Amino acid sequence: MVTADEVAAAAAYLSSPAAASVTGAALAVNGGMAGLRLRPVQKA
């Protein structure tokens, strides 16, 4: 799970001069949940 501090750090980075070359990017701050493949639920 992503913490509020991690989301704040991503927002701080994107609003800082260090992100000047970041354009048109989607930054997923989701703790890797987008890459998770959940198994379908097997009904008995």
Side-chain angles (χ1 to χ4, degrees):
M1 200 65 157
V2 178
T3 66
D5 289 339
E6 292 170 318
V7 174
Y13 167 72
L14 289 174
S15 62
S16 76
S21 63
V22 178
T23 59
L27 180 63
V29 184
N30 61 12
M33 295 301 288
L36 242 149
R37 300 179 99 195
L38 300 177
R39 295 182 195 169
V41 177
Q42 300 279 332
K43 295 187 179 180

